[in-house]
Amino acid sequence: MRIRKCSRAVIVNERNEILLQKFEFRDVAGNKVLWVTPGGGIEENETPAEALKRELYEELGIVVDLLGEPIFQLDVWIEGKQGSFISREIYYQITIQSDTVLSIEHMTKNEKDTLKGLKWWSKDELQKINDFAPREILNYI
């Protein structure tokens, strides 16, 4: 079974809201559209923290210093169009201000094409919808 290692951020603001991105996952069976935490794959010779710093710059245009250890890890089974795999996801919690300027300028063309939204969510709002992942983030806001 192929394992794709990922590093992701639970980004919270001063109002205890979480920042999520809405993506269309075209490589997944059924082309799922989900609200997800920012982050992505860990490249060869990168630590999870280095990968997340790179991903946050690419996806949001922000530079962060990660402090502390990851807050949780998940193995997610994914039915890909090219075969099933496990997404091994390491999550860090990061705090930024809600008025932080965000930019998708450094995203790849494919990421820009599949990005469908970016939004700060309260815990109450998230508890009313089903199209976000992972559900475990509710424990951290």
Side-chain angles (χ1 to χ4, degrees):
M1 176 65 54
R2 183 169 75 88
I3 295 176
R4 179 179 186 259
K5 294 179 181 179
C6 298
S7 194
R8 308 197 70 79
V10 176
I11 301 177
V12 294
N13 66 22
E14 72 280 2
R15 295 186 302 256
N16 210 33
E17 297 168 323
I18 186 167
L19 183 66
L20 297 179
Q21 299 169 306
K22 189 174 190 178
F23 277 106
E24 177 184 1
F25 293 92
R26 296 177 180 166
D27 293 339
V28 174
N31 285 19
K32 288 188 178 184
V33 177
L34 293 172
W35 288 97
V36 295
T37 56
I42 300 171
E43 295 177 358
E44 192 172 330
N45 298 320
E46 269 186 327
T47 66
E50 291 167 340
L52 186 56
K53 287 179 183 182
R54 176 184 49 75
E55 289 286 346
L56 292 176
Y57 179 72
E58 291 172 3
E59 293 184 1
L60 299 173
I62 60 174
V63 176
V64 298
D65 288 322
L66 297 178
L67 303 173
E69 296 296 315
I71 54 173
F72 67 96
Q73 178 176 314
L74 292 175
D75 281 352
V76 180
W77 176 273
I78 297 179
E79 291 287 334
K81 291 182 179 175
Q82 305 298 318
S84 300
F85 64 96
I86 292 173
S87 180
R88 180 154 293 151
E89 301 178 348
I90 299 169
Y91 288 81
Y92 292 85
Q93 187 165 347
I94 296 167
T95 302
I96 66 173
Q97 295 297 306
S98 58
D99 62 355
T100 300
V101 175
L102 304 174
S103 168
I104 64 167
E105 175 184 350
H106 303 288
M107 275 187 173
T108 66
K109 180 181 180 337
N110 181 58
E111 287 172 325
K112 288 178 183 175
D113 290 346
T114 59
L115 180 67
K116 304 301 177 193
L118 183 66
K119 181 181 184 318
W120 287 105
W121 293 85
S122 71
K123 186 172 187 174
D124 288 342
E125 289 173 318
L126 281 178
Q127 288 174 325
K128 296 175 185 171
I129 67 168
N130 292 319
D131 61 342
F132 78 94
R135 306 285 309 171
E136 287 81 358
I137 62 176
L138 290 171
N139 298 326
Y140 297 92
I141 58 173

Tab-separated table of all heavy atoms in Angstrom, residues 43-104:
chain	number	residue	atom	x	y	z
A	43	GLU	N	8.177	16.464	0.873
A	43	GLU	CA	9.118	16.086	-0.176
A	43	GLU	C	10.321	15.375	0.428
A	43	GLU	O	10.592	15.474	1.624
A	43	GLU	CB	9.560	17.334	-0.948
A	43	GLU	CG	8.412	17.980	-1.701
A	43	GLU	CD	8.796	19.257	-2.425
A	43	GLU	OE1	9.959	19.703	-2.327
A	43	GLU	OE2	7.900	19.817	-3.094
A	44	GLU	N	11.052	14.650	-0.430
A	44	GLU	CA	12.244	13.934	0.014
A	44	GLU	C	13.214	14.906	0.686
A	44	GLU	O	13.425	16.018	0.212
A	44	GLU	CB	12.917	13.271	-1.189
A	44	GLU	CG	13.968	12.277	-0.805
A	44	GLU	CD	14.497	11.491	-1.990
A	44	GLU	OE1	13.739	11.283	-2.949
A	44	GLU	OE2	15.670	11.110	-1.939
A	45	ASN	N	13.792	14.480	1.781
A	45	ASN	CA	14.761	15.260	2.567
A	45	ASN	C	14.144	16.449	3.296
A	45	ASN	O	14.868	17.327	3.755
A	45	ASN	CB	15.937	15.730	1.705
A	45	ASN	CG	16.712	14.560	1.126
A	45	ASN	OD1	16.930	13.562	1.809
A	45	ASN	ND2	17.105	14.665	-0.120
A	46	GLU	N	12.825	16.513	3.422
A	46	GLU	CA	12.154	17.550	4.208
A	46	GLU	C	11.648	16.946	5.508
A	46	GLU	O	11.181	15.813	5.527
A	46	GLU	CB	10.911	18.089	3.484
A	46	GLU	CG	11.123	19.248	2.601
A	46	GLU	CD	9.809	19.801	2.052
A	46	GLU	OE1	8.848	19.047	1.808
A	46	GLU	OE2	9.765	21.022	1.862
A	47	THR	N	11.695	17.732	6.568
A	47	THR	CA	11.026	17.327	7.798
A	47	THR	C	9.554	17.738	7.663
A	47	THR	O	9.221	18.587	6.819
A	47	THR	CB	11.624	18.039	9.031
A	47	THR	OG1	11.346	19.441	8.932
A	47	THR	CG2	13.124	17.790	9.149
A	48	PRO	N	8.663	17.185	8.471
A	48	PRO	CA	7.272	17.632	8.424
A	48	PRO	C	7.131	19.133	8.652
A	48	PRO	O	6.340	19.795	7.985
A	48	PRO	CB	6.598	16.822	9.533
A	48	PRO	CG	7.415	15.568	9.628
A	48	PRO	CD	8.833	16.023	9.372
A	49	ALA	N	7.922	19.702	9.571
A	49	ALA	CA	7.838	21.143	9.847
A	49	ALA	C	8.303	21.958	8.646
A	49	ALA	O	7.676	22.957	8.285
A	49	ALA	CB	8.666	21.489	11.078
A	50	GLU	N	9.389	21.536	8.008
A	50	GLU	CA	9.878	22.239	6.817
A	50	GLU	C	8.846	22.180	5.690
A	50	GLU	O	8.609	23.176	5.003
A	50	GLU	CB	11.197	21.639	6.333
A	50	GLU	CG	12.358	21.888	7.253
A	50	GLU	CD	13.577	21.045	6.929
A	50	GLU	OE1	13.456	20.002	6.244
A	50	GLU	OE2	14.677	21.417	7.364
A	51	ALA	N	8.225	21.019	5.515
A	51	ALA	CA	7.213	20.859	4.469
A	51	ALA	C	6.031	21.786	4.720
A	51	ALA	O	5.530	22.426	3.793
A	51	ALA	CB	6.743	19.408	4.405
A	52	LEU	N	5.601	21.878	5.971
A	52	LEU	CA	4.453	22.722	6.269
A	52	LEU	C	4.787	24.198	6.062
A	52	LEU	O	3.972	24.947	5.512
A	52	LEU	CB	3.935	22.481	7.685
A	52	LEU	CG	2.648	23.228	8.020
A	52	LEU	CD1	1.532	22.894	7.029
A	52	LEU	CD2	2.203	22.924	9.435
A	53	LYS	N	5.969	24.618	6.465
A	53	LYS	CA	6.374	26.005	6.222
A	53	LYS	C	6.333	26.310	4.728
A	53	LYS	O	5.831	27.358	4.312
A	53	LYS	CB	7.770	26.261	6.774
A	53	LYS	CG	7.831	26.334	8.275
A	53	LYS	CD	9.268	26.561	8.733
A	53	LYS	CE	9.372	26.571	10.228
A	53	LYS	NZ	10.746	26.836	10.678
A	54	ARG	N	6.851	25.401	3.901
A	54	ARG	CA	6.839	25.585	2.446
A	54	ARG	C	5.409	25.632	1.921
A	54	ARG	O	5.040	26.508	1.135
A	54	ARG	CB	7.627	24.449	1.763
A	54	ARG	CG	7.582	24.512	0.247
A	54	ARG	CD	8.294	23.326	-0.399
A	54	ARG	NE	7.905	22.035	0.130
A	54	ARG	CZ	6.757	21.408	-0.138
A	54	ARG	NH1	5.852	21.962	-0.932
A	54	ARG	NH2	6.497	20.214	0.382
A	55	GLU	N	4.582	24.698	2.349
A	55	GLU	CA	3.192	24.635	1.879
A	55	GLU	C	2.405	25.885	2.274
A	55	GLU	O	1.619	26.391	1.481
A	55	GLU	CB	2.493	23.381	2.416
A	55	GLU	CG	2.961	22.087	1.794
A	55	GLU	CD	2.463	21.887	0.374
A	55	GLU	OE1	1.535	22.596	-0.075
A	55	GLU	OE2	3.001	20.997	-0.314
A	56	LEU	N	2.596	26.385	3.481
A	56	LEU	CA	1.859	27.579	3.913
A	56	LEU	C	2.279	28.802	3.106
A	56	LEU	O	1.444	29.661	2.797
A	56	LEU	CB	2.047	27.820	5.408
A	56	LEU	CG	1.397	26.780	6.314
A	56	LEU	CD1	1.724	27.065	7.778
A	56	LEU	CD2	-0.102	26.696	6.094
A	57	TYR	N	3.546	28.865	2.728
A	57	TYR	CA	3.988	29.961	1.865
A	57	TYR	C	3.379	29.819	0.471
A	57	TYR	O	2.861	30.778	-0.095
A	57	TYR	CB	5.514	29.998	1.788
A	57	TYR	CG	6.017	31.098	0.891
A	57	TYR	CD1	5.929	32.429	1.285
A	57	TYR	CD2	6.542	30.809	-0.357
A	57	TYR	CE1	6.365	33.453	0.456
A	57	TYR	CE2	6.986	31.825	-1.194
A	57	TYR	CZ	6.892	33.134	-0.782
A	57	TYR	OH	7.312	34.143	-1.612
A	58	GLU	N	3.395	28.590	-0.068
A	58	GLU	CA	2.851	28.359	-1.410
A	58	GLU	C	1.341	28.588	-1.456
A	58	GLU	O	0.830	29.191	-2.389
A	58	GLU	CB	3.164	26.930	-1.869
A	58	GLU	CG	4.631	26.682	-2.157
A	58	GLU	CD	4.945	25.222	-2.432
A	58	GLU	OE1	4.010	24.375	-2.458
A	58	GLU	OE2	6.133	24.901	-2.627
A	59	GLU	N	0.610	28.083	-0.462
A	59	GLU	CA	-0.854	28.104	-0.512
A	59	GLU	C	-1.479	29.381	0.038
A	59	GLU	O	-2.562	29.767	-0.392
A	59	GLU	CB	-1.426	26.902	0.261
A	59	GLU	CG	-1.123	25.582	-0.396
A	59	GLU	CD	-1.767	24.409	0.301
A	59	GLU	OE1	-2.490	24.597	1.303
A	59	GLU	OE2	-1.551	23.280	-0.164
A	60	LEU	N	-0.813	30.029	1.002
A	60	LEU	CA	-1.411	31.193	1.658
A	60	LEU	C	-0.532	32.434	1.625
A	60	LEU	O	-0.965	33.502	2.040
A	60	LEU	CB	-1.747	30.861	3.121
A	60	LEU	CG	-2.739	29.726	3.343
A	60	LEU	CD1	-2.847	29.404	4.831
A	60	LEU	CD2	-4.099	30.069	2.763
A	61	GLY	N	0.720	32.285	1.181
A	61	GLY	CA	1.620	33.422	1.138
A	61	GLY	C	2.082	33.882	2.501
A	61	GLY	O	2.478	35.027	2.672
A	62	ILE	N	2.031	32.996	3.500
A	62	ILE	CA	2.458	33.379	4.851
A	62	ILE	C	3.734	32.631	5.235
A	62	ILE	O	3.968	31.515	4.784
A	62	ILE	CB	1.355	33.157	5.916
A	62	ILE	CG1	0.933	31.688	6.002
A	62	ILE	CG2	0.154	34.048	5.628
A	62	ILE	CD1	-0.045	31.386	7.129
A	63	VAL	N	4.540	33.281	6.060
A	63	VAL	CA	5.761	32.691	6.599
A	63	VAL	C	5.527	32.511	8.093
A	63	VAL	O	5.164	33.461	8.784
A	63	VAL	CB	6.975	33.602	6.343
A	63	VAL	CG1	8.230	33.029	6.983
A	63	VAL	CG2	7.171	33.813	4.842
A	64	VAL	N	5.713	31.278	8.563
A	64	VAL	CA	5.472	30.987	9.974
A	64	VAL	C	6.660	30.269	10.586
A	64	VAL	O	7.422	29.608	9.892
A	64	VAL	CB	4.210	30.112	10.180
A	64	VAL	CG1	2.971	30.812	9.686
A	64	VAL	CG2	4.355	28.766	9.515
A	65	ASP	N	6.805	30.419	11.884
A	65	ASP	CA	7.737	29.626	12.667
A	65	ASP	C	6.897	28.633	13.438
A	65	ASP	O	5.996	29.030	14.179
A	65	ASP	CB	8.518	30.498	13.648
A	65	ASP	CG	9.533	31.366	12.939
A	65	ASP	OD1	10.147	30.893	11.963
A	65	ASP	OD2	9.711	32.526	13.356
A	66	LEU	N	7.155	27.354	13.227
A	66	LEU	CA	6.392	26.338	13.945
A	66	LEU	C	6.991	26.163	15.330
A	66	LEU	O	8.198	26.037	15.481
A	66	LEU	CB	6.424	25.009	13.202
A	66	LEU	CG	5.780	25.013	11.823
A	66	LEU	CD1	5.922	23.645	11.173
A	66	LEU	CD2	4.319	25.373	11.928
A	67	LEU	N	6.139	26.178	16.314
A	67	LEU	CA	6.580	25.988	17.681
A	67	LEU	C	5.935	24.732	18.225
A	67	LEU	O	4.749	24.493	18.017
A	67	LEU	CB	6.178	27.188	18.546
A	67	LEU	CG	6.700	28.544	18.067
A	67	LEU	CD1	6.096	29.666	18.901
A	67	LEU	CD2	8.215	28.577	18.131
A	68	GLY	N	6.719	23.955	18.915
A	68	GLY	CA	6.162	22.772	19.555
A	68	GLY	C	6.033	21.573	18.641
A	68	GLY	O	6.441	21.582	17.487
A	69	GLU	N	5.448	20.575	19.199
A	69	GLU	CA	5.276	19.294	18.522
A	69	GLU	C	3.945	19.255	17.775
A	69	GLU	O	3.044	20.042	18.070
A	69	GLU	CB	5.307	18.173	19.568
A	69	GLU	CG	6.631	18.044	20.286
A	69	GLU	CD	7.771	17.659	19.367
A	69	GLU	OE1	7.588	16.744	18.542
A	69	GLU	OE2	8.844	18.293	19.451
A	70	PRO	N	3.811	18.306	16.847
A	70	PRO	CA	2.507	18.129	16.199
A	70	PRO	C	1.431	17.843	17.251
A	70	PRO	O	1.712	17.285	18.307
A	70	PRO	CB	2.728	16.903	15.308
A	70	PRO	CG	4.199	16.839	15.098
A	70	PRO	CD	4.820	17.380	16.353
A	71	ILE	N	0.184	18.253	16.920
A	71	ILE	CA	-0.906	18.061	17.886
A	71	ILE	C	-1.638	16.736	17.678
A	71	ILE	O	-2.226	16.215	18.608
A	71	ILE	CB	-1.896	19.246	17.871
A	71	ILE	CG1	-2.431	19.525	16.468
A	71	ILE	CG2	-1.229	20.481	18.463
A	71	ILE	CD1	-3.535	20.573	16.408
A	72	PHE	N	-1.613	16.218	16.437
A	72	PHE	CA	-2.135	14.877	16.200
A	72	PHE	C	-1.687	14.387	14.838
A	72	PHE	O	-1.168	15.147	14.028
A	72	PHE	CB	-3.657	14.787	16.370
A	72	PHE	CG	-4.491	15.535	15.352
A	72	PHE	CD1	-5.017	14.884	14.238
A	72	PHE	CD2	-4.797	16.884	15.520
A	72	PHE	CE1	-5.801	15.561	13.319
A	72	PHE	CE2	-5.586	17.570	14.605
A	72	PHE	CZ	-6.083	16.910	13.501
A	73	GLN	N	-1.885	13.083	14.617
A	73	GLN	CA	-1.553	12.459	13.343
A	73	GLN	C	-2.691	11.527	12.950
A	73	GLN	O	-3.287	10.882	13.813
A	73	GLN	CB	-0.252	11.666	13.459
A	73	GLN	CG	0.135	10.957	12.178
A	73	GLN	CD	1.481	10.252	12.285
A	73	GLN	OE1	2.441	10.815	12.784
A	73	GLN	NE2	1.535	9.021	11.811
A	74	LEU	N	-2.988	11.476	11.660
A	74	LEU	CA	-4.039	10.603	11.146
A	74	LEU	C	-3.534	9.824	9.937
A	74	LEU	O	-2.753	10.351	9.148
A	74	LEU	CB	-5.237	11.418	10.651
A	74	LEU	CG	-6.094	12.172	11.628
A	74	LEU	CD1	-7.129	12.994	10.870
A	74	LEU	CD2	-6.791	11.209	12.575
A	75	ASP	N	-4.004	8.609	9.791
A	75	ASP	CA	-3.846	7.868	8.550
A	75	ASP	C	-5.211	7.839	7.887
A	75	ASP	O	-6.179	7.337	8.466
A	75	ASP	CB	-3.366	6.442	8.808
A	75	ASP	CG	-1.873	6.369	9.083
A	75	ASP	OD1	-1.182	7.400	8.934
A	75	ASP	OD2	-1.390	5.280	9.441
A	76	VAL	N	-5.295	8.419	6.679
A	76	VAL	CA	-6.564	8.520	5.965
A	76	VAL	C	-6.493	7.654	4.719
A	76	VAL	O	-5.600	7.828	3.885
A	76	VAL	CB	-6.855	9.996	5.576
A	76	VAL	CG1	-8.172	10.107	4.832
A	76	VAL	CG2	-6.843	10.889	6.810
A	77	TRP	N	-7.431	6.724	4.591
A	77	TRP	CA	-7.536	5.866	3.421
A	77	TRP	C	-8.186	6.668	2.299
A	77	TRP	O	-9.272	7.231	2.482
A	77	TRP	CB	-8.382	4.640	3.751
A	77	TRP	CG	-8.633	3.744	2.588
A	77	TRP	CD1	-9.640	3.844	1.683
A	77	TRP	CD2	-7.876	2.616	2.203
A	77	TRP	NE1	-9.555	2.853	0.751
A	77	TRP	CE2	-8.467	2.073	1.048
A	77	TRP	CE3	-6.735	1.999	2.710
A	77	TRP	CZ2	-7.975	0.952	0.401
A	77	TRP	CZ3	-6.249	0.876	2.068
A	77	TRP	CH2	-6.867	0.366	0.929
A	78	ILE	N	-7.552	6.721	1.146
A	78	ILE	CA	-8.081	7.498	0.028
A	78	ILE	C	-8.215	6.605	-1.194
A	78	ILE	O	-7.281	5.893	-1.567
A	78	ILE	CB	-7.182	8.721	-0.281
A	78	ILE	CG1	-7.186	9.661	0.937
A	78	ILE	CG2	-7.649	9.441	-1.551
A	78	ILE	CD1	-6.336	10.878	0.802
A	79	GLU	N	-9.407	6.657	-1.791
A	79	GLU	CA	-9.675	5.944	-3.043
A	79	GLU	C	-9.296	6.861	-4.194
A	79	GLU	O	-10.088	7.701	-4.619
A	79	GLU	CB	-11.161	5.566	-3.141
A	79	GLU	CG	-11.606	4.509	-2.163
A	79	GLU	CD	-11.091	3.127	-2.517
A	79	GLU	OE1	-10.822	2.860	-3.707
A	79	GLU	OE2	-10.960	2.318	-1.589
A	80	GLY	N	-8.079	6.730	-4.681
A	80	GLY	CA	-7.623	7.551	-5.786
A	80	GLY	C	-8.000	6.950	-7.121
A	80	GLY	O	-8.237	5.749	-7.219
A	81	LYS	N	-8.057	7.769	-8.141
A	81	LYS	CA	-8.370	7.281	-9.489
A	81	LYS	C	-7.273	6.373	-10.023
A	81	LYS	O	-7.524	5.544	-10.886
A	81	LYS	CB	-8.615	8.452	-10.429
A	81	LYS	CG	-9.900	9.191	-10.118
A	81	LYS	CD	-10.147	10.315	-11.082
A	81	LYS	CE	-11.473	11.009	-10.746
A	81	LYS	NZ	-11.698	12.191	-11.586
A	82	GLN	N	-6.048	6.520	-9.516
A	82	GLN	CA	-4.923	5.678	-9.925
A	82	GLN	C	-4.625	4.597	-8.885
A	82	GLN	O	-3.550	4.022	-8.897
A	82	GLN	CB	-3.675	6.544	-10.136
A	82	GLN	CG	-3.858	7.681	-11.107
A	82	GLN	CD	-4.197	7.199	-12.505
A	82	GLN	OE1	-3.627	6.228	-12.993
A	82	GLN	NE2	-5.145	7.855	-13.151
A	83	GLY	N	-5.563	4.341	-7.993
A	83	GLY	CA	-5.382	3.325	-6.962
A	83	GLY	C	-5.487	3.927	-5.570
A	83	GLY	O	-5.298	5.120	-5.373
A	84	SER	N	-5.778	3.083	-4.628
A	84	SER	CA	-5.937	3.508	-3.240
A	84	SER	C	-4.581	3.759	-2.595
A	84	SER	O	-3.578	3.165	-2.983
A	84	SER	CB	-6.676	2.444	-2.441
A	84	SER	OG	-7.945	2.218	-2.997
A	85	PHE	N	-4.572	4.658	-1.607
A	85	PHE	CA	-3.362	4.930	-0.851
A	85	PHE	C	-3.740	5.467	0.513
A	85	PHE	O	-4.884	5.812	0.765
A	85	PHE	CB	-2.435	5.907	-1.598
A	85	PHE	CG	-3.010	7.280	-1.812
A	85	PHE	CD1	-2.722	8.319	-0.942
A	85	PHE	CD2	-3.835	7.535	-2.902
A	85	PHE	CE1	-3.237	9.584	-1.153
A	85	PHE	CE2	-4.355	8.800	-3.119
A	85	PHE	CZ	-4.056	9.826	-2.243
A	86	ILE	N	-2.748	5.529	1.384
A	86	ILE	CA	-2.934	6.097	2.716
A	86	ILE	C	-2.264	7.457	2.740
A	86	ILE	O	-1.104	7.595	2.343
A	86	ILE	CB	-2.341	5.198	3.811
A	86	ILE	CG1	-3.159	3.909	3.900
A	86	ILE	CG2	-2.304	5.915	5.164
A	86	ILE	CD1	-2.583	2.866	4.825
A	87	SER	N	-3.001	8.464	3.190
A	87	SER	CA	-2.444	9.785	3.417
A	87	SER	C	-2.099	9.865	4.899
A	87	SER	O	-2.985	9.892	5.746
A	87	SER	CB	-3.458	10.872	3.032
A	87	SER	OG	-2.916	12.151	3.248
A	88	ARG	N	-0.795	9.833	5.205
A	88	ARG	CA	-0.331	9.921	6.603
A	88	ARG	C	-0.124	11.391	6.913
A	88	ARG	O	0.810	12.014	6.436
A	88	ARG	CB	0.953	9.128	6.782
A	88	ARG	CG	1.487	9.189	8.200
A	88	ARG	CD	2.328	8.002	8.559
A	88	ARG	NE	1.491	6.806	8.609
A	88	ARG	CZ	1.953	5.574	8.339
A	88	ARG	NH1	3.207	5.380	8.013
A	88	ARG	NH2	1.138	4.545	8.413
A	89	GLU	N	-1.052	11.969	7.690
A	89	GLU	CA	-1.129	13.411	7.900
A	89	GLU	C	-0.710	13.794	9.309
A	89	GLU	O	-1.254	13.298	10.286
A	89	GLU	CB	-2.561	13.884	7.622
A	89	GLU	CG	-2.990	13.548	6.206
A	89	GLU	CD	-4.403	13.945	5.858
A	89	GLU	OE1	-5.173	14.299	6.764
A	89	GLU	OE2	-4.736	13.888	4.661
A	90	ILE	N	0.274	14.706	9.384
A	90	ILE	CA	0.780	15.231	10.653
A	90	ILE	C	0.261	16.657	10.784
A	90	ILE	O	0.432	17.465	9.869
A	90	ILE	CB	2.321	15.203	10.671
A	90	ILE	CG1	2.812	13.761	10.515
A	90	ILE	CG2	2.863	15.837	11.954
A	90	ILE	CD1	4.302	13.655	10.254
A	91	TYR	N	-0.381	16.970	11.903
A	91	TYR	CA	-1.027	18.273	12.105
A	91	TYR	C	-0.316	19.095	13.172
A	91	TYR	O	-0.028	18.596	14.263
A	91	TYR	CB	-2.488	18.080	12.526
A	91	TYR	CG	-3.354	17.601	11.407
A	91	TYR	CD1	-3.382	16.255	11.045
A	91	TYR	CD2	-4.131	18.497	10.680
A	91	TYR	CE1	-4.170	15.816	9.992
A	91	TYR	CE2	-4.928	18.063	9.625
A	91	TYR	CZ	-4.936	16.725	9.293
A	91	TYR	OH	-5.705	16.287	8.251
A	92	TYR	N	-0.070	20.360	12.826
A	92	TYR	CA	0.485	21.348	13.743
A	92	TYR	C	-0.566	22.432	13.959
A	92	TYR	O	-1.318	22.757	13.043
A	92	TYR	CB	1.723	22.024	13.145
A	92	TYR	CG	2.916	21.125	12.996
A	92	TYR	CD1	3.060	20.311	11.879
A	92	TYR	CD2	3.907	21.095	13.971
A	92	TYR	CE1	4.170	19.496	11.727
A	92	TYR	CE2	5.026	20.281	13.838
A	92	TYR	CZ	5.141	19.483	12.708
A	92	TYR	OH	6.238	18.681	12.568
A	93	GLN	N	-0.592	23.006	15.152
A	93	GLN	CA	-1.491	24.136	15.405
A	93	GLN	C	-0.703	25.434	15.295
A	93	GLN	O	0.391	25.557	15.850
A	93	GLN	CB	-2.152	24.048	16.768
A	93	GLN	CG	-3.194	25.132	16.952
A	93	GLN	CD	-4.121	24.867	18.126
A	93	GLN	OE1	-4.154	23.767	18.668
A	93	GLN	NE2	-4.867	25.865	18.515
A	94	ILE	N	-1.267	26.390	14.558
A	94	ILE	CA	-0.637	27.686	14.333
A	94	ILE	C	-1.684	28.756	14.592
A	94	ILE	O	-2.850	28.600	14.222
A	94	ILE	CB	-0.127	27.785	12.876
A	94	ILE	CG1	0.972	26.733	12.655
A	94	ILE	CG2	0.375	29.178	12.548
A	94	ILE	CD1	1.323	26.523	11.222
A	95	THR	N	-1.259	29.857	15.206
A	95	THR	CA	-2.164	30.970	15.457
A	95	THR	C	-1.722	32.166	14.627
A	95	THR	O	-0.538	32.517	14.627
A	95	THR	CB	-2.168	31.342	16.948
A	95	THR	OG1	-2.545	30.194	17.710
A	95	THR	CG2	-3.125	32.484	17.225
A	96	ILE	N	-2.673	32.764	13.890
A	96	ILE	CA	-2.433	34.007	13.170
A	96	ILE	C	-3.641	34.916	13.394
A	96	ILE	O	-4.701	34.459	13.828
A	96	ILE	CB	-2.183	33.811	11.649
A	96	ILE	CG1	-3.432	33.271	10.935
A	96	ILE	CG2	-0.981	32.931	11.401
A	96	ILE	CD1	-3.305	33.229	9.410
A	97	GLN	N	-3.485	36.177	13.113
A	97	GLN	CA	-4.582	37.129	13.248
A	97	GLN	C	-5.538	36.994	12.063
A	97	GLN	O	-5.124	36.688	10.941
A	97	GLN	CB	-4.042	38.567	13.315
A	97	GLN	CG	-3.206	38.835	14.556
A	97	GLN	CD	-4.026	38.688	15.820
A	97	GLN	OE1	-5.067	39.307	15.981
A	97	GLN	NE2	-3.552	37.842	16.729
A	98	SER	N	-6.807	37.231	12.298
A	98	SER	CA	-7.820	37.101	11.245
A	98	SER	C	-7.618	38.098	10.111
A	98	SER	O	-8.084	37.862	9.000
A	98	SER	CB	-9.226	37.251	11.825
A	98	SER	OG	-9.350	38.509	12.465
A	99	ASP	N	-6.907	39.197	10.374
A	99	ASP	CA	-6.678	40.180	9.318
A	99	ASP	C	-5.337	39.979	8.588
A	99	ASP	O	-4.915	40.833	7.809
A	99	ASP	CB	-6.781	41.604	9.860
A	99	ASP	CG	-5.738	41.917	10.925
A	99	ASP	OD1	-4.975	41.003	11.336
A	99	ASP	OD2	-5.683	43.087	11.360
A	100	THR	N	-4.682	38.840	8.821
A	100	THR	CA	-3.438	38.527	8.118
A	100	THR	C	-3.711	38.490	6.624
A	100	THR	O	-4.687	37.883	6.177
A	100	THR	CB	-2.874	37.174	8.594
A	100	THR	OG1	-2.609	37.249	9.985
A	100	THR	CG2	-1.605	36.803	7.836
A	101	VAL	N	-2.858	39.140	5.855
A	101	VAL	CA	-3.010	39.145	4.400
A	101	VAL	C	-2.600	37.771	3.864
A	101	VAL	O	-1.504	37.285	4.136
A	101	VAL	CB	-2.145	40.254	3.758
A	101	VAL	CG1	-2.220	40.175	2.240
A	101	VAL	CG2	-2.585	41.625	4.263
A	102	LEU	N	-3.516	37.168	3.115
A	102	LEU	CA	-3.281	35.848	2.527
A	102	LEU	C	-3.188	35.996	1.014
A	102	LEU	O	-3.834	36.857	0.428
A	102	LEU	CB	-4.413	34.898	2.903
A	102	LEU	CG	-4.672	34.738	4.406
A	102	LEU	CD1	-5.911	33.898	4.641
A	102	LEU	CD2	-3.463	34.150	5.117
A	103	SER	N	-2.391	35.131	0.388
A	103	SER	CA	-2.194	35.218	-1.056
A	103	SER	C	-2.055	33.823	-1.652
A	103	SER	O	-1.399	32.962	-1.071
A	103	SER	CB	-0.923	36.021	-1.365
A	103	SER	OG	-0.573	35.896	-2.723
A	104	ILE	N	-2.656	33.617	-2.819
A	104	ILE	CA	-2.499	32.353	-3.536
A	104	ILE	C	-1.509	32.499	-4.694
A	104	ILE	O	-1.393	31.622	-5.533
A	104	ILE	CB	-3.859	31.817	-4.039
A	104	ILE	CG1	-4.484	32.765	-5.063
A	104	ILE	CG2	-4.798	31.550	-2.878
A	104	ILE	CD1	-5.662	32.161	-5.816
